């Protein structure tokens, strides 16, 4: 080998005048570079470049290119310009691939256009559609179950709140009813105790002296008779216009020139205004030996007038209880 | 460069048409895009390495997309679609990072 190289060396060196590379010359002079640049590095580095295997087959099928796309050759004139660009790299490969670059580049272009298209579409879909449309099925199922659980909790909350609302409502209604009842009772008791004015059907009973003044006992008899007949509110007024509400504690005394009702001095004629059932009270006053007969026998006169509406307006001041306490 | 022009054309087309993704494709489109990106970065790296091959690029592009879609479809059928999609994205992401690192070394010598 050494002898052969020395033999070839001077022959070549004489022609090239290049003494530094005698060792490379003996083999094939230029073909190793071309083939190594074209085929071998592809095989070696093809696996490094993360592209999948069949590079050997591809490099061997250089001459029968682009079986699927023969028609694209004339449709893509640009690849020739593009192919002129890369000669910085493998010049020989680019020159050799020139005829099929058009079709392959068209394919690449189509693929990349598709990539850009889908990329934009996907980006747009993701950015515009934040809803569940792009969510996977199992994620949807999980979201659905989450929502179900949440709905259940919210339903329980609703039920509890409705229950408390119902309780509060019933409580409020109960309070309102109790308040109404208490108000009604207070009104009744106020009328009975003489602290509230009253209005209703009733009578006016006038005692007019004829021969001698009407005694307080007669007036008291009339009041008792009216109470027994169901009178609910009464007042007595004298001839001077003074009016006294007749309640449970009212007393009647004979006084000079008239009667004293609960300490108030009244002069005749007296008129009792009473609210109650007019027929019953009139009958009670007119019974034989009753109020009317007694007053007439004592030298007086009783006039009873039935009224649709009478007003008992006189009030009795409420009295503070000092000893009695309610028992609850 | 035709590839860049085609990419731009595709982007413009997508912006212009603004289509809606059919619901049948919705699980697969993101994975397919990531797989295609992986193929594109691999192609760029091969180009910088001077070993770019058109057919190899086309076939790897298509097969990447198809395999990614098939894996996701299989995962959906098996009930592990979400996890498998994550796995595919992780693997493709690792490959993209490796390719980008190689491209970076080529471009910046660092």
């Amino acid at each position: 080998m050494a002898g052969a190289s020395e033999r070839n060396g001077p022959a070549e060196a004489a022609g090239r005048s290049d003494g530094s590379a005698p060792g490379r010359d003996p083999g094939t002079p230029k073909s190793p570079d071309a083939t190594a640049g074209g085929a071998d590095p592809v095989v070696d580095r093809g696996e490094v470049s993360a592209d999948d295997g069949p590079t050997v087959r591809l490099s061997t099928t250089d001459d029968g290119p682009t079986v699927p796309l023969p028609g694209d050759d004339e449709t893509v004139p640009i690849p020739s310009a593009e192919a002129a660009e890369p000669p910085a790299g493998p010049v020989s490969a680019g020159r050799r691939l020139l005829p099929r670059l058009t079709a392959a580049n068209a394919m690449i272009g189509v693929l990349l256009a598709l990539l850009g298209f889908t990329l934009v579409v996907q980006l747009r879909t993701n950015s515009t559609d934040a809803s569940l449309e792009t969510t996977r099925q199992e994620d949807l199922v999980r979201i659905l179950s989450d929502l179900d659980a949440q709905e259940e909790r919210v339903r329980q909350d609703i039920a509890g709140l409705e229950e408390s609302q119902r309780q509060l409502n019933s409580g409020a209604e109960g309070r309102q009813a109790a308040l109404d009842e208490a108000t009604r009772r207070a009104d009744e008791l106020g009328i009975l105790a003489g602290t509230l004015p009253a209005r209703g059907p009733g009578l006016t009973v006038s005692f007019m002296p004829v021969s001698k003044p009407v005694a307080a006992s007669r007036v008291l008899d009339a009041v008792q008779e009216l109470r027994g007949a169901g009178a609910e509110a009464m007042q007595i007024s004298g001839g001077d216009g003074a009016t006294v509400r007749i309640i449970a504690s009212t007393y009647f005394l004979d006084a000079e020139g008239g009667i004293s009702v609960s300490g108030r001095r009244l002069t005749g004629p007296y008129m009792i205004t009473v609210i109650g059932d007019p027929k019953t009270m009139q009958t009670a006053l007119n019974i034989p030996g009753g109020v009317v007969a007694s007053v007439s026998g004592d030298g007086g006169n009783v006039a009873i007038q039935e009224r649709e509406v009478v007003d008992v307006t006189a009030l009795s001041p409420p009295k503070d209880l000092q000893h009695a306490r309610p028992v609850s | 460069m035709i590839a860049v022009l085609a990419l731009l054309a595709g982007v413009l087309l997508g912006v212009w048409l603004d289509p809606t993704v059919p619901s049948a494709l919705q699980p697969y489109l993101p994975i397919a895009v990531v797989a295609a990106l992986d193929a594109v970065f691999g192609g760029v790296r091969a180009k910088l390495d001077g070993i770019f091959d058109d057919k190899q690029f086309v076939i790897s592009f298509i097969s990447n997309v198809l395999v990614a879609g098939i894996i996701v479809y299989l995962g959906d059928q098996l009930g592990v679609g979400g996890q498998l999609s994550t796995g595919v994205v992780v693997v493709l992401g690792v490959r993209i990072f490796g390719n980008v690192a190689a491209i970076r070394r080529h471009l910046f010598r660092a």
Side-chain angles (χ1 to χ4, degrees):
Chain A
M1 286 294 287
S5 68
E6 285 176 359
R7 247 199 332 239
N8 290 333
E12 293 282 335
R16 287 191 179 186
S17 74
D18 185 6
S20 65
R24 283 192 185 175
D25 293 333
T28 54
K30 207 160 160 81
S31 59
D33 289 335
T35 53
D40 292 343
V42 175
V43 179
D44 290 338
R45 288 181 262 176
E47 295 171 358
V48 181
S49 70
D51 284 326
D52 300 316
T55 56
V56 180
R57 188 176 60 80
L58 284 174
S59 63
T60 58
T61 58
D62 282 348
D63 298 332
T66 66
V67 180
L69 294 171
D72 287 343
D73 288 345
E74 60 271 21
T75 60
V76 184
I78 307 171
S80 59
E82 186 268 340
E85 191 180 63
V91 183
S92 60
R95 193 190 61 227
R96 259 197 311 156
L97 294 178
L98 255 179
R100 67 156 211 180
L101 266 179
T102 54
N105 269 353
M107 191 73 183
I108 291 172
V110 168
L111 286 178
L112 282 176
L114 204 61
L115 170 63
F117 182 74
T118 52
L119 193 63
V120 167
V121 168
Q122 181 63 26
L123 286 179
R124 286 219 158 184
T125 306
N126 255 6
S127 61
T128 59
D129 181 19
S131 66
L132 305 171
E133 207 171 306
T134 57
T135 316
R136 312 185 62 82
Q137 190 175 352
E138 49 264 40
D139 291 342
L140 284 174
V141 170
R142 186 178 48 73
I143 290 171
L144 187 62
S145 67
D146 284 354
L147 286 178
D148 279 344
Q150 193 176 352
E151 185 194 14
E152 184 60 31
R153 285 196 302 274
V154 173
R155 275 188 194 285
Q156 286 174 358
D157 285 353
I158 288 175
L161 288 175
E162 280 179 345
E163 174 67 17
S164 62
Q165 184 201 21
R166 198 179 54 75
Q167 284 177 353
L168 287 174
N169 272 342
S170 67
E173 287 169 4
R175 268 202 304 279
Q176 187 60 39
L179 188 62
D180 291 345
E181 176 68 15
T183 306
R184 196 178 60 78
R185 285 183 63 82
D187 288 345
E188 284 180 0
L189 293 174
I191 290 174
L192 286 179
T195 56
L196 291 176
R199 167 180 292 177
L203 304 174
T204 56
V205 184
S206 300
F207 296 85
M208 283 159 295
V210 176
S211 56
K212 58 182 191 177
V214 177
S217 60
R218 297 302 170 210
V219 177
L220 179 60
D221 283 345
V223 168
Q224 299 285 34
E225 199 68 53
L226 289 170
R227 278 177 178 153
E232 293 171 351
M234 282 183 281
Q235 69 180 10
I236 184 169
S237 55
D240 55 357
T243 307
V244 177
R245 183 74 170 259
I246 300 172
I247 58 173
S249 61
T250 304
Y251 62 87
F252 298 89
L253 289 177
D254 285 321
E256 193 179 346
I259 58 174
S260 169
V261 180
S262 295
R264 191 84 183 273
R265 183 126 171 227
L266 300 182
T267 59
Y270 315 111
M271 186 175 77
I272 295 177
T273 306
V274 57
I275 296 174
D277 184 14
K279 302 291 183 195
T280 308
M281 292 188 297
Q282 202 166 3
T283 307
L285 291 178
N286 283 325
I287 58 172
V291 173
V292 175
S294 304
V295 173
S296 299
D298 280 351
N301 193 14
V302 176
I304 301 173
Q305 264 191 323
E306 190 176 328
R307 296 279 187 89
E308 286 290 324
V309 173
V310 295
D311 281 321
V312 175
T313 55
L315 297 183
S316 164
K319 197 166 130 189
D320 288 334
L321 299 177
Q322 292 183 351
H323 306 288
R325 292 287 179 272
V327 179
S328 60
Chain B
M1 194 169 200
I2 184 171
V4 176
L5 288 179
L7 195 61
L8 281 179
V11 168
L12 291 178
L13 205 61
V15 171
W16 182 51
L17 288 179
D18 194 15
T20 55
V21 183
S23 61
L25 281 181
Q26 273 174 354
Y28 310 113
L29 195 57
I31 302 295
V33 168
V34 173
L37 280 178
D38 172 52
V40 168
F41 279 112
V44 172
R45 177 187 178 180
K47 190 84 168 178
L48 291 174
D49 281 341
I51 55 169
F52 182 76
D53 186 274
D54 300 323
K55 234 174 209 178
Q56 185 179 344
F57 173 75
V58 169
I59 290 178
S60 74
F61 187 102
I62 295 175
S63 68
N64 260 5
V65 169
L66 284 183
V67 167
I70 286 172
I71 287 177
V72 174
Y73 173 77
L74 204 60
D76 271 343
Q77 299 307 307
L78 293 176
V80 290
Q83 294 88 325
L84 215 47
S85 305
T86 308
V88 169
V89 168
V90 166
V91 168
L92 292 176
V94 167
R95 287 171 50 121
I96 289 175
F97 264 99
N99 284 331
V100 169
I103 294 168
R104 186 201 62 213
R105 277 193 290 274
H106 264 286
L107 292 181
F108 304 113
R109 309 283 172 213

